[in-house]
Amino acid sequence: MMINLNGRFSFDWGHLSYMDYDISNSFIAIRKLNSNQEYSLSESKKELEEKIASIKDYNKDGEEEFIETYIHHLTHDDEIMIDEIQRLQRYSIVMSIFAFYEGQLKSVCTLIEEEFDFKIKIKDLNNYKGDLVKYWTYLDKVYGMETHALKSLFDPLIIQKKIRNIIVHHDGIVTQKIASELPKTDGISFKKSGEFLILQIEETIYLELLLSSIEVFFKELHKEIDKKYTKLNHIKKS
């Protein structure tokens, strides 16, 4: 029996054990990357706040309306730039998380395909609606693993991919109708801009929700894949 290097689960399938360990490290890396980016953003916000405070202090004897107009003139471009950095930065990390998620699903399906000579191949399922559903169908129908308990972890991620699609296909800018079709999600809101709405992401809330959901999914997925692997190998030997 292969012992997983992260100590959380004992795998019979050695390659899957190493894949599980690598994914665990990837989650740590993604969180660290996001933390570094958010720290840099917070420093930019802090510098702007200090600049505004300095201007107010220097002009403390002036008329309030004049000071506010002067501050707006000096800092408006900075405020727009910081807001745009925040928007693009958080959109980017969401896209990266989903690319990681789909890439890992593809990798584990490829691992199975290379190990077992099933008649139906991954490429035969290309007509399914999206890669996530394609890989899920492969695991469920071709590999034949137990998916009933996992479905409650997988389905919410399909819904969350709508957030990713809004970012990728609409640059986060949608109509009221599209926004209203999304389920209420912690850390996700919309800001009105003319006739449209701009997707807003609360970093500490939504990104951790998304990462934790995917992390739990893979943890349980790998267990079920390994159980099926053990059964199939037992059949081979009997």
Side-chain angles (χ1 to χ4, degrees):
M1 177 172 287
M2 175 66 69
I3 304 298
N4 190 331
L5 296 177
N6 63 22
R8 293 180 301 177
F9 186 75
S10 297
F11 287 90
D12 283 333
W13 196 351
H15 288 301
L16 184 62
S17 173
Y18 291 118
M19 181 177 286
D20 185 79
Y21 178 71
D22 287 342
I23 285 179
S24 297
N25 284 330
S26 294
F27 280 114
I28 294 172
I30 292 171
R31 285 186 171 97
K32 182 64 175 176
L33 172 64
N34 184 55
S35 176
N36 290 344
Q37 290 179 335
E38 287 296 323
Y39 175 76
S40 177
L41 179 63
S42 69
E43 286 296 296
S44 295
K45 290 180 178 179
K46 182 180 176 182
E47 288 175 7
L48 179 58
E49 290 170 359
E50 290 173 349
K51 180 178 180 179
I52 292 173
S54 177
I55 295 171
K56 286 183 175 180
D57 183 63
Y58 184 79
N59 297 277
K60 59 186 176 183
D61 296 327
E63 294 183 8
E64 184 175 346
E65 184 177 348
F66 170 78
I67 295 172
E68 291 301 324
T69 301
Y70 183 56
I71 289 173
H72 177 78
H73 173 72
L74 290 180
T75 64
H76 182 61
D77 288 347
D78 291 335
E79 290 176 353
I80 292 175
M81 179 188 68
I82 289 174
D83 285 345
E84 186 67 359
I85 289 173
Q86 176 174 290
R87 185 181 76 89
L88 295 176
Q89 180 173 295
R90 294 178 181 177
Y91 284 7
S92 177
I93 198 75
V94 169
M95 290 188 289
S96 295
I97 290 170
F98 269 101
F100 167 75
Y101 173 43
E102 293 186 21
Q104 291 299 326
L105 269 181
K106 178 181 180 180
S107 293
V108 79
C109 288
T110 301
L111 181 67
I112 293 169
E113 187 171 84
E114 291 173 350
E115 180 72 18
F116 299 99
D117 188 26
F118 297 124
K119 183 177 180 181
I120 298 176
K121 307 300 180 184
I122 298 170
K123 65 181 181 180
D124 297 327
L125 304 175
N126 282 340
N127 290 330
Y128 280 81
K129 295 181 179 180
D131 286 343
L132 294 181
V133 176
K134 176 176 70 175
Y135 299 134
W136 177 261
T137 302
Y138 182 83
L139 293 167
D140 182 27
K141 303 300 183 183
V142 180
Y143 188 50
M145 57 173 273
E146 174 57 48
T147 59
H148 179 73
L150 280 171
K151 191 166 175 57
S152 64
L153 300 174
F154 177 76
D155 286 349
L157 292 172
I158 289 289
I159 295 173
Q160 290 306 311
K161 191 176 179 181
K162 293 179 180 179
I163 300 293
R164 175 262 184 198
N165 289 343
I166 284 175
I167 293 171
V168 173
H169 301 301
H170 303 282
D171 194 30
I173 302 171
V174 296
T175 61
Q176 178 65 51
K177 181 178 183 299
I178 293 176
S180 65
E181 292 172 351
L182 291 172
K184 184 174 176 56
T185 304
D186 290 343
I188 291 294
S189 61
F190 289 90
K191 181 174 73 174
K192 190 168 180 59
S193 177
E195 298 180 0
F196 297 94
L197 299 173
I198 301 176
L199 176 69
Q200 304 290 299
I201 297 174
E202 291 290 336
E203 173 267 336
T204 55
I205 299 174
Y206 180 67
L207 295 182
E208 184 54 39
L209 171 69
L210 183 59
L211 277 172
S212 295
S213 298
I214 294 174
E215 193 170 19
V216 171
F217 171 74
F218 275 119
K219 178 181 177 182
E220 298 305 317
L221 174 67
H222 289 168
K223 289 179 182 178
E224 293 302 330
I225 290 174
D226 194 66
K227 289 176 185 177
K228 183 64 178 182
Y229 171 85
T230 303
K231 287 180 183 179
L232 291 174
N233 275 338
H234 180 71
I235 293 171
K236 277 184 183 180
K237 295 174 182 177
S238 61

